[in-house]
Amino acid sequence: MDCPGDLPAPSDPDLVARATAAKAALGDRVFVLGHHYQRDEVIQFADVTGDSFKLAQQAAARPDAEFILFCGVHFMAESADILTTPDQKVILPDLAAGCSMADMAVLGQVETAWERFEDLGITGEIVPVTYMNSSADIKGFVGRNKGVVCTSSNAKRALDWSFEQGSKVFFLPDQHLGRNTAVLEMGFDLDDCVLYDPHKPGGGLTDDQLRNARMILWRGHCSVHGRFTLESVREVRERVPGVNVLVHPECRHEVVRAADYVGSTEYIIKALDAAEPGSSWAVGTELNLVRRMALAHPDKQIMFLDRAVCYCSTMNRIDLPHLVWALEELVAGRVPNQITVDPDTAHHARVALDQMLALP
Ligand code: 13P
Ligand code: SF4
């Protein structure tokens, strides 16, 4: 028996028609945002697609839309809730669409680290910076402590700003984005960076290591991008002469160092759009995006950097049945899977997000 509100079967041949009809019925009341890592079946219904930065800007730019349907992951929907008006409702079609990297920094652990820095008397010199890929709690912590949020497209600008405010940065939660930006874009040495491991007493660092460090990196990483290796780069260069290696800055340092180009998902798309016909590209980022680009550019040879790496399983949780379900629930007058951030956290997180949006 069919219950109203049930998730439709993936085999339902009417899913596209149902999504189209529900979206049309909602009209301007709904604004659908789609991250570049979403499946094609979902992306076709997005009003705007983008990287994390563009989607945050876009969420803030549509105060008239009653519902922001966020096809992405939980931390993005939280940021959208923080940046939208109190009357707007942000919906994540599947609540299981989290992010393993964001889960690697929990507020209690970060506060413990900060207490350690306070005991050492160095918090006055430290500016906390969190990657967008973190919970609202962590963004709130950063806002309370006069820091900034960054994304993969503005990490250098966020670090430039931070080093004008203090002499050290505490970078959460992606060690690779922090290290890659500091060393490859800002000229720091690898020795200027230390790795704070929340699972070790004192972060696994001595007092002197913390006092001397310029970048204190949190031990977090992306479980998808962390799987590309230097070996993948060497292998593709041998196999495909003249190949251009293009990777996301969430990849390991040695991979980014060995690549030809590095940038956010939006940068990757622009680079491939602008590439010469006949050129070859090995791309180190999530598979949905690489496949979409390969299909869009049959005149260019666009391949995945490593065949052993797969989709982001949490991004992939949002599929057409979840999208149809969420849209039809809205048409029926119910608000499914609303993402809300408590007002105090939202206030402080907004300070750090606004600081990012105001970066030059
Ligand atoms: P960008 O789209 O900002 O490059 O982020 C990539 C990512 O991992 C999102 O989860
Ligand atoms: Fe998180 Fe990595 Fe998936 Fe992005 S690709 S949502 S950082 S696990």
Side-chain angles (χ1 to χ4, degrees), residues 116 194-207 209-210 219:
R116 167 106 208 269
V194 292
L195 193 60
Y196 183 98
D197 184 344
H199 301 291
K200 288 189 179 159
L205 294 169
T206 64
D207 291 355
Q209 281 176 310
L210 285 169
R219 190 171 184 174

Side-chain angles (χ1 to χ4, degrees), residues 35 38 52 57 82 124 176 179 181 269 285 298 344:
H35 186 267
Q38 291 288 294
S52 309
Q57 275 183 324
I82 294 164
H176 299 305
R179 188 182 293 107
T181 311
I269 291 170
T285 196
D344 184 57

Side-chain angles (χ1 to χ4, degrees), residues 46-95:
D47 294 308
V48 168
T49 59
D51 62 5
S52 309
F53 181 72
K54 183 172 164 192
L55 293 179
Q57 275 183 324
Q58 286 291 321
R62 289 298 297 257
D64 298 337
E66 195 178 339
F67 307 115
I68 303 286
L69 193 59
F70 212 116
C71 299
V73 286
H74 193 268
F75 68 78
M76 297 179 181
E78 278 188 330
S79 298
D81 181 51
I82 294 164
L83 291 166
T84 47
T85 68
D87 296 337
Q88 291 181 287
K89 296 179 176 61
V90 177
I91 292 135
L92 184 65
D94 184 346
L95 291 179

Side-chain angles (χ1 to χ4, degrees), residues 36-40 100 222-225 227-228 285-292 304 306-317:
H36 293 310
Y37 292 163
Q38 291 288 294
R39 298 161 180 260
D40 289 350
S100 53
C222 166
S223 45
V224 178
H225 292 91
R227 283 159 64 187
F228 294 108
T285 196
E286 208 271 347
L287 187 52
N288 278 315
L289 174 58
V290 182
R291 280 192 37 223
R292 187 175 310 126
F304 201 43
D306 187 332
R307 290 186 213 115
V309 180
C310 56
Y311 299 100
C312 170
S313 57
T314 48
M315 280 279 179
N316 252 15
R317 298 287 313 197

